[in-house]
Amino acid sequence: MSSAAEIDALEPAAAAQPARDLADWARVLLNGVTLVVLWNHVWFSDLSDRSLLDAAEDGSLLTQLLFIGLGLAMAAALRRLGLERLRPLASWPLLAVATWLAITIFTSVEPLLSIRRAILLVIAAMLSAGILVVARSARQFALTLAGAALVILIPSFLAVALVPHLAVHSPFDVQADPSHTGLWRGVFPFKNEAGAVMVIFIIIGLYVAASASRLYGWALILLAATFLVGTNSKTALATLPVIFVVTTLCRVFRGTVLRAILLLGPVIGFAVISVGSVFIPAVKDLLDSVLSDASFTGRSEIWEFAMENILARPLQGWGYGAFWLTERTMYATGETQTWVNTARHGHNAYIDVALMLGVPGLGVILLAYLIAPLRDLQRITDGHGIDPATMLFLRLWFFALISASFESVLLNGNNATCCMFMMAVFGLRLRASHRMIAA
């Protein structure tokens, strides 16, 4: 069993006494199932199914049932342990995000659709925060993460070997890209989703090795790295070395300004490389001389289309979840109808936030998800080293922010990177609050 200090690191509101306890088996089962569902809950998708081309305004019944069921179970567990443990999350930046999201739901072009999709996001946020409270200790938390990761990894490898038509991209995929043929996706719907989760597993493996078991941790790293190579996910492969170089340097440079430069520099750099390749001529010319496709798989047309629609509703946006994969977008008529109308998302989280919540909403998101966690990191470390739990949260947070320049991962409750990003933001907030309480 871990020490009291380790337990406090994961249960920040140590001053609050829980009403009742939960058995270890119940904690591990709830957190394990929750993690597996947050990482991927639609296994072995048949990508030759032409219904994938239809608008998805009705949502997935399986997704709704899973999230509602897990949400009720997590709510019961949190109530039993004491809801006051989540009180530090009521910070003004996070409350500002919730407030603006609520406002834009009611100004949405499809209010009912926005409400339904926002409920999924709220449940995913509660689950991501609840995992931190339900875990009894750092060791239990680490081993639960490792066990849940194996539940994903082992079937993924077996599927590639035994049922490749359900685990490997093929020319028969209805949204096939010829360059994707033969790339692994395992139990995931797409190889990019698989690649992102493999990076998450590598980050988790390092945490497990540092806080629970070197054997389990490095075994997880080896398996995830092997599968990541099989996916050939460009975003994941490009961001992985950046994550480890920058976060390792954060152990060396402990000052607020230096850490801010280290962490924000790559985030801004990736944003310039992506969007700048379309909208800034000087950047485009420079990148064209170095890279054959600076947008990472030709997303330029999608970004141009999204920007046109951001300018159409710059203040309130179109509404949360009320743009991509809706009938208004997919079946538009006239000169605006192109292949980009059928895109699942904008392939850039910052553009998607501005598209859904307006430019003011993007500002609020950056404040709560970028600036506030940086402040929390400095409060936690206070000029000292970074412990394993804080490093886990830092790496997950940083991975999401640089991935956001190429994938929509900041406000998508049905996305593994988004859920781990929220867990990281909440983890840093809870740990920073605990520091202040303990002082």
Side-chain angles (χ1 to χ4, degrees), residues 343-386:
R344 299 173 62 86
H345 51 78
H347 289 282
N348 184 293
Y350 306 112
I351 286 179
D352 269 350
V353 169
L355 192 63
M356 293 187 295
L357 309 185
V359 176
L362 176 60
V364 173
I365 289 293
L366 292 177
L367 175 65
Y369 283 176
L370 184 66
I371 304 303
L374 269 177
R375 179 197 61 188
D376 290 335
L377 173 65
Q378 289 307 109
R379 288 184 177 181
I380 295 166
T381 57
D382 193 22
H384 302 293
I386 302 177

Side-chain angles (χ1 to χ4, degrees), residues 323-345:
F323 188 78
W324 302 110
L325 290 183
T326 62
E327 292 188 359
R328 173 181 281 99
T329 302
M330 296 184 71
Y331 308 130
T333 57
E335 296 180 0
T336 60
Q337 177 67 49
T338 69
W339 69 271
V340 302
N341 294 70
T342 61
R344 299 173 62 86
H345 51 78

Side-chain angles (χ1 to χ4, degrees), residues 85-415:
R85 294 173 182 273
L86 296 177
R87 189 174 299 153
L89 299 185
S91 62
W92 71 265
L94 291 175
L95 291 176
V97 169
T99 301
W100 188 260
L101 180 63
I103 292 172
T104 56
I105 283 174
F106 292 105
T107 61
S108 170
V109 295
E110 296 282 355
L112 294 179
L113 177 61
S114 292
I115 290 172
R116 188 168 67 246
R117 291 182 173 175
I119 290 173
L120 175 65
L121 177 65
V122 170
I123 294 174
M126 182 190 68
L127 293 173
S128 300
I131 290 170
L132 302 173
V133 173
V134 170
R136 186 184 294 279
S137 67
R139 179 176 175 80
Q140 185 186 90
F141 179 55
L143 293 178
T144 304
L145 286 168
L150 290 176
V151 171
I152 296 285
L153 277 168
I154 293 174
S156 290
F157 275 106
L158 291 175
V160 169
L162 301 178
V163 284
H165 65 286
L166 293 178
V168 179
H169 282 289
S170 78
F172 302 104
D173 297 352
V174 293
Q175 295 175 319
D177 183 326
S179 65
H180 291 175
T181 301
L183 298 181
W184 296 2
R185 58 186 179 91
V187 301
F188 297 88
F190 297 101
K191 60 104 176 176
N192 283 348
E193 294 179 29
V197 174
M198 293 308 119
V199 173
I200 291 170
F201 287 172
I202 292 171
I203 293 171
I204 288 172
L206 290 171
Y207 172 63
V208 173
S211 60
S213 168
R214 289 185 180 180
L215 175 62
Y216 295 159
W218 284 102
L220 182 57
I221 292 168
L222 179 61
L223 289 171
T226 301
F227 204 92
L228 174 59
V229 173
T231 69
N232 194 34
S233 174
K234 294 179 181 178
T235 300
L237 289 168
T239 56
L240 184 59
V242 178
I243 294 167
F244 294 115
V245 170
V246 171
T247 55
T248 299
L249 288 175
C250 283
R251 291 187 185 272
V252 179
F253 300 103
R254 302 179 179 182
T256 302
V257 175
L258 287 176
R259 277 185 178 168
I261 293 173
L262 273 172
L263 294 167
L264 295 183
V267 173
I268 296 171
F270 275 96
V272 170
I273 288 174
S274 59
V275 179
S277 67
V278 178
F279 300 106
I280 305 176
V283 173
K284 183 179 186 302
D285 293 341
L286 177 62
L287 293 176
D288 284 344
S289 66
V290 179
L291 302 173
S292 60
D293 181 13
S295 68
F296 283 62
T297 66
R299 294 163 183 169
S300 302
E301 293 180 53
I302 294 177
W303 293 337
E304 290 173 348
F305 177 71
M307 190 61 67
E308 291 174 3
N309 285 279
I310 288 172
L311 295 177
R313 292 173 67 93
L315 295 180
Q316 74 276 40
W318 291 81
Y320 178 72
F323 188 78
W324 302 110
L325 290 183
T326 62
E327 292 188 359
R328 173 181 281 99
T329 302
M330 296 184 71
Y331 308 130
T333 57
E335 296 180 0
T336 60
Q337 177 67 49
T338 69
W339 69 271
V340 302
N341 294 70
T342 61
R344 299 173 62 86
H345 51 78
H347 289 282
N348 184 293
Y350 306 112
I351 286 179
D352 269 350
V353 169
L355 192 63
M356 293 187 295
L357 309 185
V359 176
L362 176 60
V364 173
I365 289 293
L366 292 177
L367 175 65
Y369 283 176
L370 184 66
I371 304 303
L374 269 177
R375 179 197 61 188
D376 290 335
L377 173 65
Q378 289 307 109
R379 288 184 177 181
I380 295 166
T381 57
D382 193 22
H384 302 293
I386 302 177
D387 61 86
T390 301
M391 181 58 75
L392 169 70
F393 298 142
L394 174 62
R395 284 171 171 160
L396 291 173
W397 171 79
F398 186 60
F399 169 57
L401 286 177
I402 56 178
S403 298
S405 290
F406 304 103
E407 303 293 344
S408 187
V409 296
L410 296 186
L411 285 178
N412 183 359
N414 201 20
N415 177 274

